[in-house]
Amino acid sequence: MAGEAKPMPGPRARYHLERIRESVWDVVANGALKITYGELKKGLDENKDVSWERTALDGAKVRRAVTLERQAAGDETPVDFDEFHALACRRGGPGDDGFVDPVLATQMYMETHKLVPLLESMTAAVMTAKPDDPVKFLEQKLRDHHFRGAPVLGYDEKDLDAVFHQFDIVRSGAITQEQCDKAIIAMTGHKAKPRTDPGAPVTKAEFMRLAREALDEYTA
């Protein structure tokens, strides 16, 4: 039900990249945009100012990866920072999953298992139902979701119809874009997907479609 895993956030990935540049590449390359694999290997082996701790990478693994690349490509083959960064992140983690920055690793785990929409849906479901035993209620929701594929936060056509009419007070058959956004935010925590003509009224059929798309993408 939930949408596809989103890409890693740019600012955090950029921060990790700059730490590798400052703590390793700039020390070894001494300001050069490109160096040879031979120079890179020698710098990593001999330069004591390289700070692997700030990068959360395994220096020994990175050096081994560079050695293998040097053997395959040759000592005089040039390498730039982007190539080194990709190699270091791919081969320099303590495990087999590449990036080891704790926040990045956690973010990737959350996105891979689609935990954010699941947790958001559980919170919304328990707040909507207000059960006497919220733990038992959530346990049953998770069981139904796991074994039967039932949505944690379910809205059927009747529910969506009722939400629409809460905003269509005069029963005109249409609501404004602002009202549509408010309704879908209340259900999912997110606005509806942009429309071709955001100034045009939102009909009931269009609202139902937008709401269902948002529920499918942002809830579990």
Side-chain angles (χ1 to χ4, degrees), residues 7-19 101 103-104:
M8 301 305 297
R12 184 70 192 187
R14 184 71 186 176
Y15 174 60
H16 189 254
L17 178 148
E18 291 302 331
R19 282 190 295 173
D101 177 277
V103 173
L104 283 172

Side-chain angles (χ1 to χ4, degrees), residues 1-7 114-118 120-121 184 188-194 209-220:
M1 291 286 290
E4 293 299 317
K6 304 299 187 296
K114 299 182 175 67
L115 291 180
V116 172
L118 176 61
E120 288 179 346
S121 297
I184 293 178
T188 69
H190 300 269
K191 287 185 178 181
K193 290 182 177 180
R209 176 181 63 80
L210 292 169
R212 183 58 61 200
E213 288 177 355
L215 286 165
D216 286 347
E217 181 169 2
Y218 297 117
T219 66

Side-chain angles (χ1 to χ4, degrees), residues 10-184:
R12 184 70 192 187
R14 184 71 186 176
Y15 174 60
H16 189 254
L17 178 148
E18 291 302 331
R19 282 190 295 173
I20 295 175
R21 186 195 302 275
E22 294 171 3
S23 302
V24 183
W25 179 263
D26 286 350
V27 176
V28 173
N30 196 27
L33 297 179
K34 283 188 177 183
I35 58 177
T36 66
Y37 270 108
E39 292 169 332
L40 177 59
K41 176 66 167 61
K42 182 178 180 181
L44 292 175
D45 287 343
E46 299 179 0
N47 200 309
K48 304 301 182 184
D49 293 327
V50 172
S51 176
W52 293 108
E53 291 79 9
R54 293 190 66 237
T55 68
L57 295 172
D58 185 325
K61 284 191 174 184
V62 175
R63 288 193 296 272
R64 284 197 296 273
V66 169
T67 298
L68 293 174
E69 289 294 320
R70 178 179 65 88
Q71 291 172 349
D75 276 350
E76 299 304 316
T77 300
V79 55
D80 61 19
F81 171 71
D82 288 338
E83 293 169 318
F84 169 70
H85 172 257
L87 176 65
C89 290
R90 187 172 66 251
R91 303 285 294 279
D96 298 324
D97 54 352
F99 272 115
V100 294
D101 177 277
V103 173
L104 283 172
T106 300
Q107 180 82 24
M108 186 175 292
Y109 177 84
M110 296 285 285
E111 290 170 350
T112 299
H113 295 281
K114 299 182 175 67
L115 291 180
V116 172
L118 176 61
L119 295 174
E120 288 179 346
S121 297
M122 289 173 62
T123 301
V126 76
M127 291 178 67
T128 300
K130 298 180 179 62
D132 292 334
D133 188 339
V135 173
K136 186 176 181 179
F137 171 83
L138 289 174
E139 181 182 7
Q140 186 60 51
K141 283 286 185 182
L142 284 174
R143 287 181 179 276
D144 291 343
H145 180 65
H146 180 70
F147 291 109
R148 299 195 292 110
V152 174
L153 183 61
Y155 283 87
D156 58 23
E157 296 302 303
K158 183 178 178 181
D159 295 326
L160 294 179
D161 182 79
V163 171
F164 178 82
H165 283 106
Q166 285 179 4
F167 288 87
D168 182 23
I169 300 174
V170 297
R171 297 297 187 268
S172 66
I175 58 178
T176 67
Q177 181 66 55
E178 182 180 4
Q179 290 174 319
C180 177
D181 285 338
K182 285 182 178 179
I184 293 178

